Amino acid sequence: MPRPLRHLLICSNNRGPGHPKGSCGEKGGEEFVGLMKDLVRESGLKERVLVSRTGCLKHCSLGVTAAVYPENVWYAGVAESDLQEICETHLAQGTPVHRLLLPEEAPWE
């Protein structure tokens, strides 16, 4: 594989049930990694996009968190229904999905 054009990091941190901040792993992050890898492959982006699971990205209270590099675009509250749009719009075309952007004032937990 050549150097990827984009790298998608998806939080799969799991703090365990009942944690006050919640965790992306409990909200689907772990599953989303596999689903997004499938979407990237099916979209013909496998040679240009790398998808990786990560530990905590410091925003678990805001839902599943993801980041796309090299653009340094951060997403919060990502749901399974958003994965296709992120793949088609951002990973393929380079246009961030604005409705999912992490707010600038979001606290780093």
Side-chain angles (χ1 to χ4, degrees), residues 27-38:
K27 296 172 185 172
E30 183 67 33
E31 179 185 4
F32 293 178
V33 173
L35 293 172
M36 188 57 91
K37 284 182 178 186
D38 290 343

Side-chain angles (χ1 to χ4, degrees), residues 7-106:
H7 190 176
L8 173 65
L9 307 169
I10 301 174
C11 179
S12 61
N13 183 49
N14 195 334
R15 289 190 173 102
H19 193 282
K21 291 182 184 176
S23 60
C24 292
E26 287 184 294
K27 296 172 185 172
E30 183 67 33
E31 179 185 4
F32 293 178
V33 173
L35 293 172
M36 188 57 91
K37 284 182 178 186
D38 290 343
L39 285 170
V40 164
R41 186 174 42 257
E42 292 164 8
S43 299
L45 298 171
K46 186 178 178 186
E47 297 298 317
R48 296 179 19 217
V49 175
L50 178 62
V51 178
S52 298
R53 80 179 28 81
T54 70
C56 188
L57 290 176
K58 305 297 184 194
H59 295 288
C60 287
S61 66
L62 300 177
V64 176
T65 303
V68 180
Y69 282 90
E71 293 101 327
N72 193 24
V73 170
W74 288 68
Y75 293 118
V78 176
E80 183 176 344
S81 58
D82 299 318
L83 299 179
Q84 184 78 36
E85 184 177 5
I86 291 170
C87 185
E88 292 175 356
T89 304
H90 192 161
L91 300 180
Q93 299 174 17
T95 304
V97 180
H98 292 283
R99 66 182 181 80
L100 296 173
L101 292 178
L102 178 74
E104 286 292 325
E105 66 279 357

